[in-house]
Amino acid sequence: MASDLELPAWLSRIGVFDLETTGVDVTSDRIVTAHVGVLDAKGREIAARSWLADPGIPIPDGAAAVHGISTEKARSEGRIAREVVAEVTESLRALFTQGMPVVAYNASYDFSLLTHECLRHGIPPLESPGPVIDPHVIDKAVDRYRKGKRTLEVVAEHYAVRLDGAHEAAADAIAAGRVAQAIARSFPLAASAHELHTQQIGWARTQAESLTEYFIRIGRLDAEDTLDGTWPVRPSDAAPF
């Protein structure tokens, strides 16, 4: 993989964000762990904060098997969910207020779930969060015909980014930031984070439409169903994407 392009100035300092949760439904599932950090141009984390929450509901065994946090651990060691949601939201708001782009892999999941957690707890959600950088959307746009899965683990390996402890919020957040920087060193991107944010809105919509057609063709979706490609915050009634 060629990686000889100069890193854009707007990627020399980036926020990174990841959630591990009780499940995949952004409207009803809850935050278990969260991480917000800042990376420099070399991908080194220069600021960071992590959270463990008691989500207030049992953590399904399947979710616990992924991120390693059981209901018992969350209840005994986790903080009150509302406090965690408020602090995560304010940390992200502070980064956006500074004009710093925030990287999140499959951002529409994390930002949508955080929005619904805010609404659940009576906390003002982020309004039109941005600029957001989503390596999941960008990678599929700039290297559209590459075969294989596009999970963070697979994409990190493709771009020679080390990922230790996959599905741990800090590890995933940092790896996503480094993948974003690696993509920028391999493919020419927009002149600014805000321009790239706008491009991703269209890319995500197009990718959802393409995936909808594929799922209908293989019988995974009914002909009248669609996947919502709204990005980076999906409406509450959108099908998972």
Side-chain angles (χ1 to χ4, degrees):
M1 161 97 29
S3 55
D4 54 0
L5 296 179
E6 184 175 349
L7 187 71
W10 50 266
L11 268 172
S12 63
R13 183 160 296 196
I14 51 174
V16 295
F17 168 48
D18 186 71
L19 300 175
E20 297 298 328
T21 63
T22 60
V24 298
D25 188 322
V26 299
T27 63
S28 62
D29 280 303
R30 315 292 173 88
I31 294 171
V32 178
T33 62
H35 184 84
V36 176
V38 176
L39 305 188
D40 67 10
K42 294 185 177 180
R44 298 173 299 198
E45 191 164 43
I46 56 176
R49 187 168 182 187
S50 293
W51 294 263
L52 170 61
D54 174 1
I57 62 173
I59 299 172
D61 291 341
V66 171
H67 52 59
I69 307 297
S70 65
T71 300
E72 293 72 23
K73 180 178 178 65
R75 286 176 176 170
S76 63
E77 301 178 25
R79 293 177 53 207
I80 296 170
R82 188 183 189 283
E83 295 177 355
V84 170
V85 172
E87 290 175 10
V88 171
T89 303
E90 285 309 306
S91 294
L92 291 168
R93 183 174 281 119
L95 295 181
F96 287 132
T97 298
Q98 295 172 43
M100 189 179 300
V102 174
V103 177
Y105 200 85
N106 194 18
S108 61
Y109 172 77
D110 297 88
F111 280 100
S112 298
L113 193 143
L114 180 62
T115 295
H116 285 284
E117 281 277 55
C118 286
L119 297 174
R120 181 176 295 115
H121 294 288
I123 297 164
L126 297 168
E127 278 192 42
S128 302
V132 173
I133 299 173
D134 187 344
H136 183 246
V137 171
I138 299 168
D139 178 57
K140 290 196 292 184
V142 300
D143 201 0
R144 180 178 177 184
Y145 298 106
R146 188 178 81 245
K147 294 183 178 180
K149 295 181 178 180
R150 302 290 180 124
T151 62
L152 176 58
E153 298 97 313
V154 171
V155 174
E157 182 178 4
H158 177 74
Y159 287 101
V161 170
R162 184 172 176 174
L163 173 55
D164 294 325
H167 301 296
E168 192 275 323
D172 284 1
I174 293 167
R178 291 172 178 169
V179 166
Q181 292 175 328
I183 293 173
R185 291 189 174 101
S186 303
F187 298 93
L189 297 181
S192 72
H194 287 282
E195 183 179 340
L196 181 61
H197 180 103
T198 300
Q199 288 178 328
Q200 289 170 96
I201 294 172
W203 291 341
R205 182 174 58 250
T206 300
Q207 290 164 12
E209 291 169 353
S210 177
L211 190 58
T212 295
E213 293 173 2
Y214 172 70
F215 281 170
I216 291 173
R217 190 165 62 249
I218 66 174
R220 188 167 168 180
L221 280 179
D222 292 332
E224 65 273 12
D225 292 333
T226 59
L227 298 175
D228 191 287
T230 306
W231 182 97
V233 180
R234 297 197 300 255
S236 60
D237 59 349
F241 172 40

